Amino acid sequence: GAGVSQSPSNKVTEKGKDVELRCDPISGHTALYWYRQSLGQGLEFLIYFQGNSAPDKSGLPSDRFSAERTGGSVSTLTIQRTQQEDSAVYLCASSLQQTPKLFFGSGTQLSVL
Amino acid sequence: GENVEQHPSTLSVQEGDSAVIKCTYSDSASNYFPWYKQELGKGPQLIIDIRSNVGEKKDQRIAVTLNKTAKHFSLHITETQPEDSAVYFCAALPAPGKLIFGQGTTLQVKP
């Protein structure tokens, strides 16, 4: 595709529910990244995939957060039993292998009521 | 782990003036320092980057300088225009795939 695609663009959910956020990277990009951006804050690193494997999961805030990537393309970030503090914009990015030049999607705005 | 500090948090300049944003990092293993621009409702976009073996890099009105000894790097925008108004983020790469961002600077360019 022309760019990194994220869906949904907005998600409102109730506290305690599970949510799935989807990221479709640029075609041919083998590396994929998830970041979280809270209101007025910087970007918080969550997880990084090289192909289907995640060498670095150190940024996941708790065991309620998980991510997977299948077929070296689409990735899903799952948040179980959502809490109000999970409300944020979740950004996905992709890059070519061996280069740290990230291309970001427009993000998913998650609101937990 | 790596910690990136960015200053100022907000910056207001008159059109045509220069703007400077500064960042410091803590991990001497970091060897790549990009700058991203984020407009409202969009994801960040890479505008310029510099590697640790280079002290300065320019691209038209934008320049970045790096002082490895002091562990700080800066973004310089000359002849600012209203369309430069956005949030700017610096970042450092201490390990493959793990780009660590600063807290961001909101730049306002007044016409």
Side-chain angles (χ1 to χ4, degrees):
Chain A
V4 176
S5 178
Q6 292 188 245
S7 61
S9 55
N10 284 281
K11 177 71 177 178
V12 180
T13 190
E14 293 180 350
K15 177 182 174 182
K17 295 282 180 71
D18 298 351
V19 295
E20 272 192 5
L21 311 181
R22 176 189 168 105
C23 174
D24 200 342
I26 293 172
S27 178
H29 281 194
T30 57
L32 186 146
Y33 314 77
W34 284 98
Y35 283 84
R36 179 168 70 176
Q37 185 173 29
S38 301
L39 188 63
Q41 298 298 309
L43 283 71
E44 176 189 5
F45 173 84
L46 297 180
I47 191 169
Y48 150 66
F49 287 93
Q50 183 59 259
N52 290 335
S53 65
D56 194 331
K57 302 180 182 179
S58 62
L60 295 176
S62 74
D63 58 8
R64 296 187 296 105
F65 287 72
S66 63
E68 65 175 17
R69 188 180 188 197
T70 55
S73 182
V74 172
S75 175
T76 55
L77 177 68
T78 301
I79 308 173
Q80 295 179 307
R81 305 181 302 282
T82 52
Q83 304 294 314
Q84 288 184 333
E85 59 263 30
D86 299 335
S87 297
V89 175
Y90 289 82
L91 290 162
C92 175
S94 68
S95 71
L96 291 168
Q97 188 175 6
Q98 304 305 325
T99 172
K101 295 181 188 285
L102 273 58
F103 292 81
F104 281 88
S106 294
T108 293
Q109 173 74 63
L110 175 65
S111 299
V112 182
L113 304 179
Chain B
E2 174 65 281
N3 183 47
V4 179
E5 298 285 339
Q6 183 171 347
H7 300 281
S9 57
T10 60
L11 180 58
S12 181
V13 300
Q14 287 295 133
E15 182 178 359
D17 287 351
S18 294
V20 180
I21 303 170
K22 299 183 178 182
C23 288
T24 60
Y25 63 99
S26 60
D27 193 335
S28 56
S30 288
N31 58 10
Y32 172 74
F33 307 91
W35 287 87
Y36 284 79
K37 176 183 181 182
Q38 186 176 28
E39 297 177 336
L40 200 61
K42 298 182 179 180
Q45 181 178 11
L46 179 67
I47 56 171
I48 195 167
D49 56 10
I50 192 168
R51 294 191 178 272
S52 58
N53 58 348
V54 176
E56 183 176 2
K57 183 177 179 180
K58 289 183 180 179
D59 183 2
Q60 300 181 357
R61 296 185 298 107
I62 294 174
V64 58
T65 58
L66 171 66
N67 183 328
K68 279 206 71 179
T69 303
K71 294 198 184 75
H72 65 70
F73 56 113
S74 301
L75 177 71
H76 304 252
I77 306 174
T78 59
E79 300 171 23
T80 53
Q81 301 168 3
E83 51 265 37
D84 294 330
S85 296
V87 181
Y88 291 81
F89 292 96
C90 63
L93 186 72
K98 193 170 182 178
L99 200 57
I100 304 300
F101 286 81
Q103 294 301 299
T105 296
T106 301
L107 174 63
Q108 181 186 29
V109 181
K110 299 178 180 177

